[in-house]
Every structure is written in structure tokens, then in C-alpha cells.
Amino acid sequence: MTSGEFEGWNTLDKRTLAVTAVMMTGAAVGAAIPTTAAIVGGGARFWVALAWVVAGGVVLVAGGVLADLFYWKGVRYRVTPDRLETAFTLVFRSRKSLQRDRIRNVDLTANPLHRLFGVAVVTIGTGSHESGGQGRIKLNPVSRAEAERLRADLLRRAEIAETDDDAPLAELDRSWIRYAPMSFLTPTLGLAAGGGLMQISEWAGLQKGLVDWVIGLFRGIPLVVAILILLAIAMVVGVVGALGLWIEMWWNYRLDRESGGTLRVRRGLFTTRSISIEESRMRGVDLVEPLGNRISGAARVDAIATGMRQSDDKDKTDYHTLLPAAPVATANRVAAAVLREPVSPTEAVRLTGHPRAARGRLLRWWVGSVVVLLAIFALLGLLLTDVLLVIGAALGVVLLPVSVLLALDAYRNLGHGITGRYLVGRHGTVRRSTFALEREGVIGWTVKQSIFQRRKGLLTVVATTAAGAGAYSVYDAGEEQGLLFAEESVPELLTPFLERA
């Protein structure tokens, strides 16, 4: 690409260099404290250790800024009537382009440093799942105004009628924060905080002192009581962490229907996110109720849409979530509004239950899992120490009745039905899911039947679709029941493969 070919092309925002410099400085300072402590602990003088750490920090910051400068000078992009194109032209050359009529989402993200310098990251995707990110282009970063211009320009669809729906479909209700600790994330965060504290103390050479201090603190207290106190502390830390994470993710939340037929989710306290979904790509919704939220009467709403961006290993953002955990009535109202239905399909249909054989199957699965776990404890206890036998017995007293209750709850949650344009299915106990999928969006059926299901006259029917997760299952239905459901949901799709009695 010659210099003349750059005419009409845009560069990324130069403020990315300042963002990188501040970010790398923060990383260097964060690494300097434990590194200095480790060097001093090894016998070196403080000023010698400090000199080495400062020199390393300077190299780290300078290297990061130089690498970002190299990237900034090499990247160009432009928007033509037909395509979005990017090019990299330093040392090696590459070009990438997306057809504008295939672009399905334009998402904006800005962390605190981006917001401080007035820039944002724009991610443009087609919703396809090619390896290597071929269906996605990321511009990191551009000015905030340029990001909004790109979003409005690339998502414009002349064939979609304008709307005048100015009121948001949903806005943040601060009372929803009470649902944040009601998840398995809370104990996970608490235990992770304890593990992190132990790891940091090991890096600083203070782990033995920390352990001795904890033992001295609980001296004279029975071991069981001490363990319960530590678990309670971990839960408190987990609750605080869950609340903080919820605030960071969902503060300033707002769901809008914009002119041009686009649903837009905006959220985030420090890192702001703007996620767009074309209404023409919507194929349904999934009402998700994790056990803790279900007990407290809450559910979240996920979109089932074609061309939805899937989060990868480097980006854990839930791009399909339209509504965080909120009262079930609110979740159903938002689902109905998103689908432009008077009543959400997830509550408009009375679900058909599944045969009692499914209950026995679930009971065997849940109880059997606990029995296997207890057998492992018993075996290890016989080989290693009697303490494991005691722990296994205690777990058995708790887990066996819990497994029975979860199995019965899972059976009660099994169901399926048809209402208007949608087929509906429900399953799960630890995470109950009620999906409503457009019948026209089903492109195929998969019928699964294990040897154990065959003996009980059960099967699982899976609706295949180009939207959302790609497949939505109705588990452990009766043989005739499941096949009739599939046939009635999408007439003629499965009929040629059925044998009539």
C-alpha cells in the first residue's frame, strides 16, 4: 500500500499512547512492591533493590508505549458504502474487511482510563464464529464522538421503519442489588480472597507468620467453631465482592429501543459498555433463574438472536443479557416488550409436564452422584486417615437429602408447550432456564435417546437454530409426547421421518 492509498483512511486516536503509558505505569508500580520485598528478603539492600525495580519499571513502561506507537502508526480504517476495511502496513502488511450488510453488532467499551482521555473501543462483528476472529474488527481506541458516529452509521438499515419509542424498556432499579449476593459467585469470591491472601503472603515471605497469627487468634476455640467463623468471614467478603462486581457491571443500566429497529443495552460504572442487537435478528428470549435468585423471586433475561457475539476467553462480557437479575414480573414484562408481545411467551403458556419415569431418572442421577462422592471419601479414609471418614459421613448427612430435594425440584421444572409463534421449554434446578424460541427460527430437530432413556420410554428433543446457543433442548419427555411436540411446533419438518402406528 503506497502513501497515496491512505487518502480517505482514518487513524486510531493518538491518545491511546497516554492510556498505555498510565496503564503500564500502574502495572509497574503494582509489581514493584512485592518485587522489592522479595529482593530485600533475599539479603540485598533496600536502595539497591529499589534501583533494580525502578529500572525494570522504566523499561516496562517504555516498551509498552513503543509497542503501542508501532500499532498506532500502522493501523488505518475506513468506511465505504459497501464495506468496513482496516489495514496494517508497518513491517508486514495485512488487510481485513467486513461487508456492511453482514454487520450485526457494534459494541462500545470504555474503561476508566479510556473515559479519562475521552476515547472508546469499538468492536464490530458479523455474528459469525470463524476461527481467528475473522468475523470481527476491533478499533482500539477512537474518540468517543467517532465511536458513536461509527455505531450509528454501521447499524443504519434503510429498510427498517423509523420508530418513535422514546421511553426506555427498562432502567436500573437500585433495589435489584439485593439479588447480587444470591448466587454461587458469593462463596467463590470469598474463598478466592482467602486463597489470594495466602498467595500474597507467600510471595512476601510472610505466610508462616500469617498462619501462626490465625492459629493464635483461635487458640482455645473448638476446631469446628473456628472453621465456621472462618467460613462466615469468607461469606462476608464474598458478599462485599459480589455487591461491588454487580455495581461495576450494572450501574447506569438502561435498555432502549432505538429508531431503526435496534435494542441497545448501556451499563457499567467504571468500565462503560454499549451493546446493540438488531430486532430483526431476535428469535426469542431465555428467562434464567439461578437457584439463589429463584428463591428470592428474581430472574434475568437473555436474548436469543442470530449474529450474537459470543464472549471469548479474553472477554467475559455477557453480550446476550438484556436484563440483570430482577423481580420475575419485571423480567416477564421486559421479555414481552422486547418481543413486541402483549404477554411474554414464558408466562403465557401452561407447560406440559413430563412422565414420572423422568423423576426416577433424575433421582438416580442426583443421588448416585452423591454416593460416588461419598465412596471416594470412604476409600481415601480407609487408606489415609479416619478424619476423611468423619468428613464423608457429615457430607452424607447433608448432601443425600439435599440431592433428593434437588432431583424432585428438577422434575417439577421439566416442561414444554406452544404459544402463538413460540415454542417454550423449561429445565434445570441449580440454574432453571425457560426459553421461548420462535417456531420459524427452528431449522432442524435432533432426537436423542440413551439406553437408559429407551428403557423408560423417554427421549430428549433438541431444536436446532441459528440463534443464541444454537440448540435448545426439551429433556426427558415421553417418546410420543416429545415427537408430537416437535411435529406440532414446526409442521412438516419432522413428519417425513416419523412412523405412524
Side-chain angles (χ1 to χ4, degrees), residues 424-444:
V424 182
R426 175 180 290 166
H427 69 274
T429 179
V430 175
R431 178 190 181 275
R432 187 169 77 176
S433 167
T434 307
F435 66 85
L437 178 64
E438 250 187 11
R439 296 158 68 182
E440 292 183 355
V442 178
I443 58 177

Side-chain angles (χ1 to χ4, degrees), residues 284-290 294 298-304 328 331-332 335 339 344-351 412-417 419 422-429 431-437 472-475:
V285 295
D286 191 1
L287 204 70
V288 181
E289 302 167 273
R294 182 152 58 96
R300 79 167 190 263
V301 179
D302 290 349
I304 300 177
V328 172
N332 280 313
L339 298 176
S344 172
T346 55
E347 67 171 346
V349 62
R350 183 179 180 86
L351 297 180
R412 284 193 297 269
N413 292 333
L414 288 177
H416 63 273
T419 174
Y422 298 90
L423 62 90
V424 182
R426 175 180 290 166
H427 69 274
T429 179
R431 178 190 181 275
R432 187 169 77 176
S433 167
T434 307
F435 66 85
L437 178 64
Y472 291 87
S473 301
V474 175
Y475 293 95

Side-chain angles (χ1 to χ4, degrees), residues 208-219:
K208 186 178 183 302
L210 177 63
V211 172
D212 292 340
W213 177 77
V214 173
I215 292 175
L217 191 65
F218 290 98
R219 184 172 287 116

Side-chain angles (χ1 to χ4, degrees), residues 264-282:
R264 185 179 189 183
V265 179
R266 284 176 281 191
R267 59 186 176 88
L269 179 61
F270 298 115
T271 299
T272 59
R273 299 172 179 87
S274 171
I275 300 165
S276 303
I277 304 173
E278 287 183 305
E279 284 191 88
S280 61
R281 318 305 296 184
M282 288 290 295

Side-chain angles (χ1 to χ4, degrees), residues 374-399:
L374 297 180
I376 293 174
F377 270 93
L379 179 61
L380 293 177
L382 293 174
L383 295 175
L384 301 176
T385 173
D386 292 342
V387 175
L388 293 177
L389 293 175
V390 176
I391 294 175
L395 287 176
V397 170
V398 175
L399 294 182

Side-chain angles (χ1 to χ4, degrees), residues 17 20-21 24 59-69:
L17 303 177
T20 300
M24 298 304 292
V59 171
L60 179 65
V61 174
V65 173
L66 284 174
D68 200 40
L69 177 63

Side-chain angles (χ1 to χ4, degrees), residues 113-457:
L113 285 179
H114 289 141
R115 295 172 65 187
L116 178 65
F117 287 97
V119 295
V121 179
V122 182
T123 305
I124 304 102
T126 62
S128 58
H129 309 307
E130 297 98 331
S131 60
Q134 294 302 309
R136 193 190 329 171
I137 286 177
K138 179 178 286 189
L139 302 177
N140 182 15
V142 296
S143 68
R144 187 75 191 187
E146 173 69 357
E148 292 289 350
R149 185 192 70 80
L150 285 170
R151 178 186 172 278
D153 187 22
L154 295 173
L155 287 181
R156 184 179 297 122
R157 297 289 189 271
E159 68 273 14
I160 298 178
E162 293 287 318
T163 63
D164 56 357
D165 299 333
D166 296 326
L169 300 182
E171 285 186 294
L172 176 71
D173 185 334
R174 296 183 182 181
S175 66
W176 296 348
I177 195 174
R178 67 184 185 273
Y179 302 122
M182 302 295 292
S183 73
F184 291 104
L185 182 64
T186 298
T188 302
L189 289 175
L191 295 175
L197 180 62
M198 294 297 292
Q199 185 63 63
I200 292 173
S201 66
E202 182 181 4
W203 289 340
L206 302 174
Q207 190 177 77
K208 186 178 183 302
L210 177 63
V211 172
D212 292 340
W213 177 77
V214 173
I215 292 175
L217 191 65
F218 290 98
R219 184 172 287 116
I221 299 178
L223 178 61
V224 175
V225 176
I227 293 175
L228 291 176
I229 292 174
L230 289 175
L231 289 176
I233 293 173
M235 285 298 294
V236 171
V237 173
V239 168
V240 173
L243 292 174
L245 185 62
W246 188 92
I247 291 172
E248 156 58 17
M249 291 184 62
W250 293 105
W251 205 250
N252 297 320
Y253 161 80
R254 180 183 171 112
L255 172 63
D256 292 289
R257 173 178 283 120
E258 298 184 322
S259 60
T262 301
L263 297 171
R264 185 179 189 183
V265 179
R266 284 176 281 191
R267 59 186 176 88
L269 179 61
F270 298 115
T271 299
T272 59
R273 299 172 179 87
S274 171
I275 300 165
S276 303
I277 304 173
E278 287 183 305
E279 284 191 88
S280 61
R281 318 305 296 184
M282 288 290 295
R283 294 294 178 267
V285 295
D286 191 1
L287 204 70
V288 181
E289 302 167 273
L291 184 59
N293 289 158
R294 182 152 58 96
I295 291 173
S296 54
R300 79 167 190 263
V301 179
D302 290 349
I304 300 177
T306 60
M308 282 295 296
R309 174 181 169 190
Q310 301 294 318
S311 57
D312 52 33
D313 292 338
K314 297 181 181 179
D315 191 343
K316 301 299 183 181
T317 303
D318 290 329
Y319 285 89
H320 55 276
T321 300
L322 298 175
L323 179 76
V328 172
T330 301
N332 280 313
R333 177 185 62 78
V334 171
V338 164
L339 298 176
R340 296 183 181 270
E341 296 284 344
V343 180
S344 172
T346 55
E347 67 171 346
V349 62
R350 183 179 180 86
L351 297 180
T352 301
H354 290 189
R356 287 194 175 185
R359 182 178 64 180
R361 177 173 159 78
L362 287 166
L363 280 168
R364 286 189 294 274
W365 191 92
W366 279 96
V367 175
S369 299
V370 173
V371 169
V372 170
L373 177 64
L374 297 180
I376 293 174
F377 270 93
L379 179 61
L380 293 177
L382 293 174
L383 295 175
L384 301 176
T385 173
D386 292 342
V387 175
L388 293 177
L389 293 175
V390 176
I391 294 175
L395 287 176
V397 170
V398 175
L399 294 182
L400 283 173
V402 168
S403 66
V404 172
L405 292 175
L406 289 176
L408 295 176
D409 181 65
Y411 172 69
R412 284 193 297 269
N413 292 333
L414 288 177
H416 63 273
I418 301 173
T419 174
R421 298 186 296 123
Y422 298 90
L423 62 90
V424 182
R426 175 180 290 166
H427 69 274
T429 179
V430 175
R431 178 190 181 275
R432 187 169 77 176
S433 167
T434 307
F435 66 85
L437 178 64
E438 250 187 11
R439 296 158 68 182
E440 292 183 355
V442 178
I443 58 177
W445 287 99
T446 301
V447 180
K448 297 181 180 181
Q449 189 176 45
S450 69
I451 186 172
F452 303 105
Q453 286 178 311
R454 191 178 306 124
R455 291 173 56 189
K456 297 297 181 181

